[in-house]
């Protein structure tokens, strides 16, 4: 009987410790302003990459840009840019997020994308203070050639 009572006490203690750990873990994972901004900007980034670069829905991608950005680039230039990307790089094969950086005036997300004609392309997406997509840049990464040590 004493052994059963001891076992019940251990279960109660384990339960209390587990509940405390879950409570602490839950409060540690509470959404901060940075986490909220990151989540929203990542969602816009993923949607924009899919819309502009995968599905080639240029009008929809153009509409996802901030109002200020749309003032600086006309829709027909945006369509020309998409055609140039397709000609120079081909279709998107895949990609992944590699970094998110928060600055005073804007945030940036960097993805590495793989295209048919360019194995690694650095895709930079810039967001304004309101979290709107303000600009983007695609830069193919050149492979570094190894020098022959014997020459």
């Amino acid at each position: 009987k004493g052994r059963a009572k001891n076992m019940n006490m251990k279960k109660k203690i384990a339960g209390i410790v587990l509940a405390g750990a879950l409570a602490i873990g839950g409060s540690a994972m509470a959404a901060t302003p940075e986490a909220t901004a990151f989540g929203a900007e990542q969602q816009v980034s993923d949607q924009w990459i899919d819309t502009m670069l995968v599905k080639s829905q240029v009008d929809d991608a153009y509409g996802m840009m901030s109002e200020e950005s749309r003032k600086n680039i006309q829709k027909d230039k945006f369509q020309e840019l998409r055609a140039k990307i397709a000609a120079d790089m081909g279709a998107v094969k895949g990609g992944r997020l590699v970094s998110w950086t928060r600055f005073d005036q804007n945030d940036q997300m960097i993805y590495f994308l793989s295209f048919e004609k360019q194995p690694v392309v650095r895709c930079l997406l810039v967001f304004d203070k309101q979290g709107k997509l303000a600009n983007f840049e695609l830069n193919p990464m050149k492979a570094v050639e190894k020098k022959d040590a014997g020459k």
Side-chain angles (χ1 to χ4, degrees):
K1 194 172 191 178
R3 190 177 220 183
K5 190 175 187 181
N6 192 16
M7 197 63 140
N8 283 337
M9 183 60 88
K10 286 181 181 179
K11 286 181 182 179
K12 286 180 183 178
I13 291 172
I16 291 170
V17 169
L18 180 61
L22 290 174
I24 291 170
S27 66
M29 294 183 67
T32 64
E34 288 79 13
T36 301
F38 170 78
E41 291 172 2
Q42 184 180 21
Q43 184 176 9
V44 170
S45 297
D46 291 344
Q47 186 178 5
W48 187 85
I49 289 169
D50 184 56
T51 303
M52 177 71 168
L53 302 176
V54 176
K55 296 177 181 172
S56 295
Q57 296 171 338
V58 180
D59 290 344
D60 292 340
Y62 183 78
M64 295 171 73
M65 301 296 291
S66 70
E67 186 176 334
E68 188 67 28
S69 295
R70 290 192 307 261
K71 288 179 186 176
N72 294 325
I73 185 169
Q74 296 173 348
K75 192 183 284 190
D76 61 330
K77 296 292 183 192
F78 207 70
Q79 291 171 332
E80 289 174 18
L81 178 61
R82 178 60 189 113
K84 182 169 175 29
I85 291 168
D88 293 349
M89 297 184 198
V92 174
K93 292 170 46 179
R96 68 182 183 100
L97 173 67
V98 292
S99 75
W100 178 72
T101 307
R102 174 148 265 199
F103 297 104
D104 291 339
Q105 298 300 313
N106 58 38
D107 298 336
Q108 73 177 16
M109 295 198 115
I110 298 175
Y111 286 75
F112 284 160
L113 303 176
S114 176
F115 287 79
E116 291 173 328
K117 298 177 184 178
Q118 293 290 337
V120 181
V121 175
R122 182 178 169 268
C123 176
L124 170 70
L125 300 161
V126 179
F127 291 84
D128 64 18
K129 282 188 97 163
Q130 290 75 38
K132 303 291 183 187
L133 183 57
N135 205 347
F136 70 96
E137 183 178 288
L138 297 172
N139 293 311
M141 308 287 286
K142 303 232 185 245
V144 178
E145 292 185 29
K146 293 182 181 178
K147 304 265 183 191
D148 187 6
K151 291 186 179 180

Short mmCIF file of all heavy atoms in Angstrom, two decimals, residues 3 5-6 11-12 22 31 38 45 55 73 78 84 86-87 92 103 108 115 119 121 134 143:
data_model
loop_
_atom_site.label_atom_id
_atom_site.label_comp_id
_atom_site.label_asym_id
_atom_site.label_seq_id
_atom_site.Cartn_x
_atom_site.Cartn_y
_atom_site.Cartn_z
N ARG A 3 3.79 1.55 -1.28
CA ARG A 3 4.41 1.66 -2.60
C ARG A 3 3.46 2.34 -3.59
O ARG A 3 3.87 3.18 -4.40
CB ARG A 3 4.80 0.28 -3.10
CG ARG A 3 5.63 0.29 -4.30
CD ARG A 3 6.02 -1.11 -4.65
NE ARG A 3 7.40 -1.12 -5.10
CZ ARG A 3 8.03 -2.15 -5.54
NH1 ARG A 3 7.43 -3.32 -5.53
NH2 ARG A 3 9.25 -2.08 -5.95
N LYS A 5 1.04 4.45 -2.84
CA LYS A 5 0.92 5.85 -2.44
C LYS A 5 2.13 6.66 -2.95
O LYS A 5 1.99 7.76 -3.44
CB LYS A 5 0.83 5.93 -0.92
CG LYS A 5 0.46 7.27 -0.38
CD LYS A 5 0.28 7.20 1.12
CE LYS A 5 -0.26 8.50 1.63
NZ LYS A 5 -0.43 8.48 3.07
N ASN A 6 3.32 6.04 -2.86
CA ASN A 6 4.55 6.66 -3.33
C ASN A 6 4.48 6.88 -4.85
O ASN A 6 4.90 7.91 -5.36
CB ASN A 6 5.74 5.79 -2.95
CG ASN A 6 7.06 6.51 -3.15
OD1 ASN A 6 7.09 7.72 -3.29
ND2 ASN A 6 8.13 5.75 -3.12
N LYS A 11 3.57 10.51 -9.67
CA LYS A 11 2.76 10.90 -10.84
C LYS A 11 2.26 12.34 -10.69
O LYS A 11 2.26 13.10 -11.65
CB LYS A 11 1.57 9.95 -11.02
CG LYS A 11 1.96 8.59 -11.55
CD LYS A 11 0.73 7.71 -11.72
CE LYS A 11 1.12 6.33 -12.21
NZ LYS A 11 -0.05 5.46 -12.34
N LYS A 12 1.84 12.71 -9.48
CA LYS A 12 1.36 14.08 -9.25
C LYS A 12 2.49 15.09 -9.46
O LYS A 12 2.31 16.12 -10.08
CB LYS A 12 0.79 14.21 -7.84
CG LYS A 12 -0.56 13.55 -7.67
CD LYS A 12 -1.08 13.72 -6.27
CE LYS A 12 -2.40 12.99 -6.11
NZ LYS A 12 -2.92 13.08 -4.73
N LEU A 22 4.96 23.30 -19.74
CA LEU A 22 4.09 23.70 -20.85
C LEU A 22 3.68 25.17 -20.71
O LEU A 22 3.62 25.89 -21.71
CB LEU A 22 2.86 22.81 -20.92
CG LEU A 22 3.11 21.37 -21.38
CD1 LEU A 22 1.84 20.54 -21.26
CD2 LEU A 22 3.64 21.33 -22.80
N ALA A 31 3.51 35.52 -29.55
CA ALA A 31 3.87 36.27 -30.76
C ALA A 31 4.41 37.65 -30.41
O ALA A 31 3.75 38.44 -29.74
CB ALA A 31 2.67 36.39 -31.68
N PHE A 38 7.34 38.90 -39.46
CA PHE A 38 8.01 37.84 -40.22
C PHE A 38 6.98 36.93 -40.88
O PHE A 38 7.07 36.64 -42.07
CB PHE A 38 8.93 37.03 -39.30
CG PHE A 38 9.46 35.78 -39.96
CD1 PHE A 38 10.51 35.85 -40.86
CD2 PHE A 38 8.91 34.54 -39.68
CE1 PHE A 38 10.99 34.71 -41.48
CE2 PHE A 38 9.38 33.40 -40.29
CZ PHE A 38 10.43 33.48 -41.19
N SER A 45 5.76 37.00 -49.45
CA SER A 45 6.89 36.60 -50.29
C SER A 45 6.60 35.30 -51.04
O SER A 45 6.81 35.21 -52.25
CB SER A 45 8.15 36.41 -49.43
OG SER A 45 8.54 37.60 -48.83
N LYS A 55 3.78 30.96 -61.67
CA LYS A 55 2.57 30.96 -62.49
C LYS A 55 2.57 32.03 -63.58
O LYS A 55 1.69 32.03 -64.44
CB LYS A 55 1.34 31.15 -61.60
CG LYS A 55 1.13 30.00 -60.63
CD LYS A 55 -0.05 30.27 -59.72
CE LYS A 55 -0.24 29.14 -58.74
NZ LYS A 55 -1.25 29.47 -57.72
N ILE A 73 7.11 51.96 -61.33
CA ILE A 73 7.27 51.06 -62.47
C ILE A 73 5.89 50.82 -63.09
O ILE A 73 4.93 50.50 -62.40
CB ILE A 73 7.94 49.72 -62.08
CG1 ILE A 73 8.19 48.87 -63.31
CG2 ILE A 73 7.14 48.97 -61.05
CD1 ILE A 73 9.07 47.66 -63.07
N PHE A 78 6.75 45.98 -66.09
CA PHE A 78 6.73 44.82 -65.21
C PHE A 78 6.56 43.54 -66.03
O PHE A 78 7.22 42.54 -65.79
CB PHE A 78 5.58 44.99 -64.20
CG PHE A 78 5.77 44.28 -62.90
CD1 PHE A 78 6.72 44.71 -61.98
CD2 PHE A 78 4.98 43.20 -62.56
CE1 PHE A 78 6.88 44.08 -60.76
CE2 PHE A 78 5.14 42.55 -61.35
CZ PHE A 78 6.09 42.98 -60.45
N LYS A 84 11.71 38.82 -69.63
CA LYS A 84 13.18 38.74 -69.61
C LYS A 84 13.64 37.69 -68.60
O LYS A 84 14.57 36.92 -68.87
CB LYS A 84 13.78 40.10 -69.28
CG LYS A 84 15.31 40.10 -69.28
CD LYS A 84 15.86 41.49 -69.22
CE LYS A 84 17.36 41.57 -69.11
NZ LYS A 84 18.16 40.53 -69.65
N ALA A 86 12.00 35.02 -67.68
CA ALA A 86 11.70 33.71 -68.27
C ALA A 86 12.72 33.35 -69.34
O ALA A 86 13.18 32.20 -69.40
CB ALA A 86 10.29 33.71 -68.85
N ALA A 87 13.10 34.31 -70.17
CA ALA A 87 14.07 34.04 -71.24
C ALA A 87 15.47 33.77 -70.69
O ALA A 87 16.15 32.85 -71.16
CB ALA A 87 14.11 35.23 -72.21
N VAL A 92 11.03 28.30 -62.74
CA VAL A 92 11.47 28.05 -61.37
C VAL A 92 11.34 26.56 -61.07
O VAL A 92 10.33 25.95 -61.36
CB VAL A 92 10.62 28.86 -60.35
CG1 VAL A 92 10.99 28.49 -58.93
CG2 VAL A 92 10.77 30.33 -60.57
N PHE A 103 15.15 46.09 -40.48
CA PHE A 103 15.86 47.36 -40.40
C PHE A 103 14.91 48.42 -39.85
O PHE A 103 13.73 48.16 -39.67
CB PHE A 103 16.37 47.78 -41.78
CG PHE A 103 17.36 46.82 -42.38
CD1 PHE A 103 16.98 45.95 -43.39
CD2 PHE A 103 18.67 46.78 -41.93
CE1 PHE A 103 17.89 45.06 -43.94
CE2 PHE A 103 19.59 45.90 -42.48
CZ PHE A 103 19.20 45.04 -43.49
N GLN A 108 13.81 42.88 -45.07
CA GLN A 108 14.15 42.17 -46.30
C GLN A 108 14.12 40.66 -46.06
O GLN A 108 14.46 40.19 -44.98
CB GLN A 108 15.50 42.59 -46.85
CG GLN A 108 16.70 42.08 -46.08
CD GLN A 108 18.02 42.47 -46.71
OE1 GLN A 108 18.09 43.34 -47.54
NE2 GLN A 108 19.07 41.81 -46.30
N PHE A 115 16.39 27.88 -60.95
CA PHE A 115 15.69 28.00 -62.23
C PHE A 115 16.30 26.98 -63.20
O PHE A 115 17.38 26.46 -62.97
CB PHE A 115 15.87 29.40 -62.82
CG PHE A 115 15.08 30.48 -62.12
CD1 PHE A 115 15.53 31.02 -60.91
CD2 PHE A 115 13.92 30.98 -62.66
CE1 PHE A 115 14.84 32.02 -60.27
CE2 PHE A 115 13.21 31.99 -62.03
CZ PHE A 115 13.67 32.51 -60.83
N PRO A 119 21.15 27.67 -61.77
CA PRO A 119 20.98 26.77 -60.63
C PRO A 119 20.73 27.48 -59.30
O PRO A 119 19.99 26.97 -58.46
CB PRO A 119 22.27 25.97 -60.58
CG PRO A 119 23.23 26.64 -61.48
CD PRO A 119 22.46 27.54 -62.39
N VAL A 121 19.75 31.36 -57.72
CA VAL A 121 19.43 32.77 -57.90
C VAL A 121 19.04 33.33 -56.53
O VAL A 121 18.19 32.77 -55.84
CB VAL A 121 18.27 32.96 -58.90
CG1 VAL A 121 17.86 34.43 -58.98
CG2 VAL A 121 18.65 32.43 -60.27
N ALA A 134 7.82 46.32 -51.39
CA ALA A 134 8.26 47.57 -52.00
C ALA A 134 9.17 47.35 -53.20
O ALA A 134 9.18 48.15 -54.12
CB ALA A 134 8.98 48.43 -50.97
N ALA A 143 29.02 30.21 -59.95
CA ALA A 143 29.80 29.18 -59.28
C ALA A 143 31.26 29.62 -59.21
O ALA A 143 31.78 30.19 -60.16
CB ALA A 143 29.68 27.85 -60.01
#
